[in-house]
Amino acid sequence: MSNATIVICNYNYAAYLPVAIDSALTQSVGTTRVMVIDDGSTDNSHEIIQQYGDRITAIFQDNRGQVAAYNHALDQIDSTHVIFLDADDLLHPDAVKEVMAAFGSGDFVKVQFKLEVMTVDGMGTGVTVPQSSLVGDCGKLLRQGWLYPSPPGSGNAYRVEALRCIFPVPVSADNVYGADFYAIYGVPLLGNVCAIDRALGGYRVHRSTGRKPGAGGAADLAFANAEDSLAGARKAATRWAILREIVHDRLGETLPVRFFDFSSEKALFGNLLYRAPLARRWRWFTKESGSYFHTVIANPFWTLRKKMAVSCLTALCLVPFASLSDRAVRYIANPLARGGR
């Protein structure tokens, strides 16, 4: 029997919200609770939420951001497990059933599963995330500064008592979004993570709606919706510093000052090298690429074959042919460039 809550955090996603709510309500485990927290939306989200009546628990808060929404939800839910579903994503009908079976198979604080990347209209792209497999002890590797491969927020389920050791997370002008960072990288310090190696939901990409690779600028590299890739990479350093404080104060542990994450490094790499002159590309390779190549060569989650493949693709950025270099950058920086879309 399920003892899980699906929490949908929404801000001005009325265009996608009904799909997310319906996917939560139609779980094959009928006892799953559904909570929708609206973060002060100014579109017609309020009306959509009210249409569901008592089929969901609706919470309306002033616009304070995703971190505040996670904090609020963890004050309200009374289940043992929770999935935080983004309002523009969806879950497959058996998601909760499979997640709870995974929790029941061992002593896990988190169960993660792959997400199918969708276009703005919900069509599949042929890409799933994460693309790297979960191997090793996530907590041990986090204590060494390595951020392990995880799906976006909607692809994670947590034991609530573990989340409450990390949350509430401080809300400030510099810490409004990215609540899933603290959940994804904080909870594994408290126990084991189980990875389901198949897609149990969909991740909708809509930042660059109507633009195709090659259209120019950030649209060619965009993948995440809430932030562009460069902003996300820079914010990760701030979030890691906040997580270090939380872990030190509440768990009595000291995480490394520096973290290692290929996703952040490839975002910086893409924004520096895409459509850059040849001299700029070579300057990066000779003087600025140390952190990037460390997350490739020393990556504990990758096979030797993948390390060699990424290194060879990166080397293509040094050729004098801009079109070939830019294609290699797109392929590395944006998973959608590999899905035939």
Side-chain angles (χ1 to χ4, degrees):
M1 179 179 293
S2 172
N3 190 11
T5 300
I6 299 172
V7 176
I8 301 173
C9 299
N10 174 71
Y11 176 67
N12 284 348
Y13 272 172
Y16 314 116
L17 182 58
V19 174
I21 296 176
D22 290 343
S23 78
L25 288 173
T26 56
Q27 289 298 302
S28 58
V29 180
T31 56
T32 303
R33 306 175 184 104
V34 179
M35 177 184 295
V36 180
I37 297 185
D38 186 78
D39 186 41
S41 293
T42 56
D43 60 7
N44 64 326
S45 293
H46 193 285
E47 291 77 7
I48 291 172
I49 293 168
Q50 288 185 317
Q51 290 174 4
Y52 286 90
D54 60 6
R55 299 174 67 197
I56 65 174
T57 299
I59 297 175
F60 299 94
Q61 66 177 32
D62 294 336
N63 180 226
R64 297 182 61 214
Q66 189 191 45
V67 174
Y70 270 51
N71 290 343
H72 198 163
L74 285 165
D75 278 340
Q76 300 295 320
I77 60 178
D78 58 5
S79 59
T80 57
H81 298 84
V82 63
I83 297 174
F84 281 92
L85 175 65
D86 289 339
D88 51 344
D89 296 338
L90 61 84
L91 295 174
H92 295 169
D94 287 336
V96 170
K97 178 180 178 181
E98 296 201 35
V99 161
M100 295 305 291
F103 273 119
S105 68
D107 185 20
F108 299 111
V109 292
K110 176 190 164 191
V111 172
Q112 67 180 52
F113 48 89
K114 291 189 174 183
L115 296 173
E116 295 176 317
V117 180
M118 308 180 298
T119 62
V120 63
D121 55 1
M123 299 296 293
T125 63
V127 174
T128 59
V129 287
Q131 296 189 309
S132 297
S133 298
L134 182 65
V135 294
D137 183 332
C138 296
K140 179 180 179 181
L141 291 167
L142 279 164
R143 291 178 177 92
Q144 297 170 7
W146 284 97
L147 304 191
Y148 67 94
S150 173
S154 299
N156 301 278
Y158 305 94
R159 189 189 297 172
V160 171
E161 65 178 358
L163 267 181
R164 285 178 174 153
C165 293
I166 305 298
F167 287 81
V169 169
V171 178
S172 67
D174 292 330
N175 194 45
V176 176
Y177 303 107
D180 49 341
F181 182 96
Y182 304 103
I184 290 170
Y185 300 119
V187 166
L189 297 170
L190 297 159
N192 297 321
V193 176
C194 175
I196 298 175
D197 195 29
R198 57 185 174 277
L200 299 181
Y203 176 77
R204 192 188 309 267
V205 175
H206 49 82
R207 270 186 56 88
S208 53
T209 302
R211 303 191 70 177
K212 299 180 180 179
D220 292 354
L221 306 176
F223 180 64
N225 293 313
E227 301 165 310
D228 65 55
S229 56
L230 183 59
R234 290 173 173 167
K235 286 283 189 180
T238 300
R239 290 166 186 155
W240 179 255
I242 293 171
L243 180 61
R244 288 185 72 245
E245 292 182 8
I246 292 171
V247 169
H248 181 268
D249 293 344
R250 300 179 195 173
L251 305 184
E253 294 193 48
T254 302
L255 295 175
V257 173
R258 184 181 180 186
F259 68 92
F260 306 107
D261 176 37
F262 180 71
S263 293
S264 297
E265 291 295 337
K266 75 178 182 180
L268 296 170
F269 155 85
N271 280 273
L272 284 172
L273 269 64
Y274 188 60
R275 297 195 167 181
L278 180 61
R280 179 68 185 93
R281 288 181 264 142
W282 272 95
R283 185 165 68 252
W284 172 84
F285 180 78
T286 56
K287 298 182 178 181
E288 304 169 20
S289 62
S291 295
Y292 174 91
F293 278 110
H294 179 74
T295 62
V296 174
I297 303 303
N299 197 309
F301 311 106
W302 288 7
T303 64
L304 177 60
R305 181 178 179 179
K306 182 168 182 177
K307 293 176 183 180
M308 293 178 64
V310 174
S311 297
C312 291
L313 278 170
T314 303
L316 290 177
C317 301
L318 305 178
V319 301
F321 307 105
S323 60
L324 180 58
S325 173
D326 288 341
R327 185 174 180 182
V329 173
R330 287 199 305 270
Y331 192 91
I332 292 170
N334 188 349
L336 291 180
R338 310 164 208 167
R341 292 269 175 161

